[in-house]
Amino acid sequence: MVKKEPVVISIQALRRMPYYLQYLKGLYQQEIKTVAAPAMAQHFGLNEVQVRKDLAAVSKVQGKPRAGFCVADLIRDMEEFLGYHIVDDAVLVGVGLLGKSLLSYKGFEEYGVKIVAAFDNDKKLVGTEIDNHKVLAAGTISDICRRLKTHIGIIAVPSKEAQIVCDQLIAGGVLAIWNFAPVHLSVPEHILVQNENMAASLALLSNHLREKMQM
Amino acid sequence: MENNSVSVQALQRMPIYLEYLKTLPSTASASISASAIAEALGLCHSQVRKDLAAVSGGGKPKVGYIRECLVEDMEAFLGCTEIKRAVVVGMGTLGRFMMDCDEFAGYGMHVVAGFEPDQTDEENMVGTKYVFPMEKLRLLCSRVKIHVGIITVPARQAQQVCDLLIECGVMAIWNFTPVALQAPEDVLVYNQSLASSLSVLSTHITRVVGQNAV
């Protein structure tokens, strides 16, 4: 049996894709029909070879010499590649300020992710409803993830609870973790952790400003 | 202290150390070694040692650092003690969260007001902070120095908002939209692309589940 090798693409390349997609959608709205890799590279300030490689990884057809890619086809291929057409279920743990805002954010489904359950360990919150999501007891995380066959776990708890929650999610069969807590999570090799560390962003911004303010 | 020598990756690890040090129980020992921190956080020992050395000169062989001093040095290094004023533009779910989040204050960043391009009312409130229509941005920026612009508007409005913020003298942009913003070289644009993270997560699932199905 011949297995089709999935296209190998780096996480960095994956992170560039939504930017390409947004740009392509802009072109589409302006009724621009084709786009070439060099023009895109220039817009993004990226290396041409890199953009060419990124597009080749997602596009089902080869770009034509000079003319480049058909914008509409490229949008479709890219959305398909990123799995935007297939919605993955996710659970969210921790309905503090951040958790609540993630629960009521409408944009995720556009990117193929839907929050199907929310958990918290605060007894006062369990049983309440936030934007049509019933808040469930944190003790049931593993059970419910297993039952719902959820693949994505979103961690929005304080940092000292993050590792415990992470372990519970993995025990429930979750394969990918979106971690908003400013901690390093230890996970088995087959689990993907995507850190969204706002504190780290603040550190970078702060550092840049300090240099500027000294000038 | 010069901190140009520290990499972006190292800078991004600093809040993880800081968070760990601050959440240790008060009964914990007054001193802590780089290896103990590395062990607890599951990070590489030599990396942690190097990171801490860049921040604090207080490390002693065998003993390590005095915990309190290390926290202070790290906060100073990250500029937590210097006040930076920010505005949030775009009052969707995320924008409202950014208005309310007190965690930022720990890093010296204070959100002073919100702006909403689609707002027709004179003013509005989110929590204890005012939300103004876009036209008021220039006025505010001429009265107080605003250092950071947080952009949480829909993608199609992002570049325009970015241009206006820079015109008003903002020195750093925290961009939550999936748009590659064009900005002069001396303005830092930090992209917090939630869309990119979702793409990485979603693609991973598709790949893993796909493999198991074969």
Side-chain angles (χ1 to χ4, degrees), chain B residues 39-52:
Chain B
E39 200 66 46
L41 297 175
L43 294 170
C44 163
H45 288 224
S46 58
Q47 189 177 59
V48 174
R49 199 166 304 128
K50 203 175 142 203
D51 289 348
L52 298 186

Side-chain angles (χ1 to χ4, degrees), chain A residues 15 18-19 22 43-44 82 84 88 101 104 159 175 184 194 196 201-202 204 206-208 210-212, chain B residues 3-4 19 41 76-78 82 84 93 104 155 171 178 182 186 190-193 196-197 199-200 202:
Chain A
R15 295 193 68 90
Y19 292 91
Q22 200 60 51
H43 174 84
F44 288 102
L82 294 174
Y84 289 176
D88 290 308
S101 115
S104 47
S159 54
L175 298 169
H184 173 84
Q194 183 64 51
E196 206 69 61
S201 316
L202 277 168
L204 282 185
S206 190
N207 186 261
H208 169 82
R210 199 175 52 166
E211 282 165 19
K212 290 278 149 203
Chain B
N3 59 352
N4 293 329
E19 181 74 19
L41 297 175
F77 180 85
L78 292 174
E82 293 145 44
K84 287 145 299 226
T93 322
F104 301 156
M171 300 143 102
Q182 314 283 321
D186 59 333
Y190 187 77
N191 295 313
Q192 188 96 43
S193 177
S196 292
S197 301
S199 302
V200 174
S202 188

Side-chain angles (χ1 to χ4, degrees), chain B:
Chain B
M1 191 192 289
E2 272 296 317
N3 59 352
N4 293 329
S5 55
V6 172
S7 70
V8 168
Q9 283 76 19
L11 262 177
Q12 289 182 312
R13 282 191 293 272
M14 297 300 173
I16 296 178
Y17 302 140
L18 192 55
E19 181 74 19
Y20 173 71
L21 292 168
K22 282 173 146 180
T23 51
L24 279 173
S26 50
T27 49
S29 154
S31 61
I32 191 159
S33 68
S35 342
I37 297 177
E39 200 66 46
L41 297 175
L43 294 170
C44 163
H45 288 224
S46 58
Q47 189 177 59
V48 174
R49 199 166 304 128
K50 203 175 142 203
D51 289 348
L52 298 186
V55 170
S56 176
K60 292 204 174 64
K62 310 239 181 218
V63 186
Y65 293 86
I66 306 295
R67 202 146 49 88
E68 220 172 293
C69 300
L70 186 55
V71 168
E72 252 176 53
D73 286 347
M74 199 166 277
E75 284 181 335
F77 180 85
L78 292 174
C80 299
T81 46
E82 293 145 44
I83 303 286
K84 287 145 299 226
R85 281 179 293 271
V87 292
V88 181
V89 185
M91 287 299 117
T93 322
L94 198 58
R96 286 164 178 271
F97 165 70
M98 301 303 278
M99 293 277 277
D100 267 344
C101 188
D102 354 307
E103 259 173 71
F104 301 156
Y107 289 89
M109 192 163 87
H110 295 270
V111 173
V112 295
F115 290 87
E116 170 56 55
D118 296 331
Q119 182 166 313
T120 45
D121 304 345
E122 257 309 275
E123 51 196 43
N124 225 321
M125 300 278 283
V126 169
T128 55
K129 288 163 192 154
Y130 281 105
V131 179
F132 302 106
M134 271 324 265
E135 304 89 81
K136 293 277 171 77
L137 184 64
R138 272 177 215 279
L139 186 66
L140 179 80
C141 291
S142 67
R143 288 194 183 156
V144 276
K145 175 75 189 163
I146 300 294
H147 304 97
V148 182
I150 304 173
I151 303 185
T152 56
V153 294
R156 66 191 147 75
Q157 297 172 334
Q159 185 62 56
Q160 212 183 338
V161 166
C162 172
D163 293 344
L164 183 60
L165 285 164
I166 291 170
E167 249 180 74
C168 290
V170 160
M171 300 143 102
I173 302 276
W174 196 357
N175 174 31
F176 283 82
T177 73
V179 177
L181 295 172
Q182 314 283 321
E185 243 173 63
D186 59 333
V187 174
L188 175 82
V189 176
Y190 187 77
N191 295 313
Q192 188 96 43
S193 177
L194 302 184
S196 292
S197 301
L198 283 165
S199 302
V200 174
L201 292 166
S202 188
T203 315
H204 175 76
I205 299 298
T206 312
R207 192 169 305 159
V208 174
V209 174
Q211 272 172 1
N212 292 345
V214 172

